[in-house]
Amino acid sequence: MTSNPTLVLIPCLSGAPWSPEQIAPFAPRPVRTMRLPEGVSDMEAYADFVAETIADLDDYVLVGDSFGANIALALATRQPEGLRSLVMSGGFAANPISSPVWKGAMRLMGRMRGGLYRQLVLRAHAHRLTAPYD
């Protein structure tokens, strides 16, 4: 293991890679992010994709945001070689976005930035994650 493992940043359901602004606070650590593939409906297939994307790394930390936390957990349960630790933020037990219409909308909204992102995407996402008991 190295003293400075690569941070593997796994994005949310929009699938968009983390932006340079989101990655900047991690400097000067080595960082890798990715765009999630479209048309995947199985958590293990997402985990396979991430595993293939980082196959060249021998020391890394999985950092999953929202849906990416679930993908990171799915991969971490395999106990892959080189995994040093797991960081999960905002994961959930079930997919809150099961309709194809909402999936498409979230992918489009994931490309938005700034105020529009904060006002539209975050509100829509929070609404979809609301439990029926809230």
Side-chain angles (χ1 to χ4, degrees), residues 7-33:
L7 300 178
V8 177
L9 309 175
I10 306 172
C12 65
L13 188 63
S14 74
W18 290 32
S19 70
E21 296 83 25
Q22 292 170 308
I23 295 172
F26 299 115
R29 298 188 70 111
V31 175
R32 184 171 300 178
T33 189

Side-chain angles (χ1 to χ4, degrees), residues 13 66 92 94-106 109 120-132 134:
L13 188 63
S66 189
F92 42 86
N95 187 349
I97 307 197
S98 55
S99 105
V101 172
W102 267 106
K103 283 182 182 179
M106 291 305 286
M109 288 188 281
L120 181 63
V121 179
L122 294 181
R123 289 176 190 266
H125 195 59
H127 172 73
R128 297 302 300 169
L129 292 175
T130 303
D134 288 349

Side-chain angles (χ1 to χ4, degrees), residues 47-117:
D48 291 342
F49 169 79
V50 173
E52 291 168 13
T53 303
I54 63 171
D56 62 313
L57 299 177
D58 60 356
D59 189 21
Y60 59 91
V61 174
L62 295 175
V63 182
D65 174 47
S66 189
F67 186 69
N70 295 44
I71 297 169
L73 180 60
L75 180 54
T77 61
R78 300 175 184 181
Q79 299 179 338
E81 191 73 32
L83 176 62
R84 183 182 293 200
S85 61
L86 172 66
V87 178
M88 301 187 311
S89 172
F92 42 86
N95 187 349
I97 307 197
S98 55
S99 105
V101 172
W102 267 106
K103 283 182 182 179
M106 291 305 286
R107 285 194 198 289
L108 287 174
M109 288 188 281
R111 294 185 174 100
M112 296 176 184
R113 296 289 176 254
L116 189 59
Y117 179 84

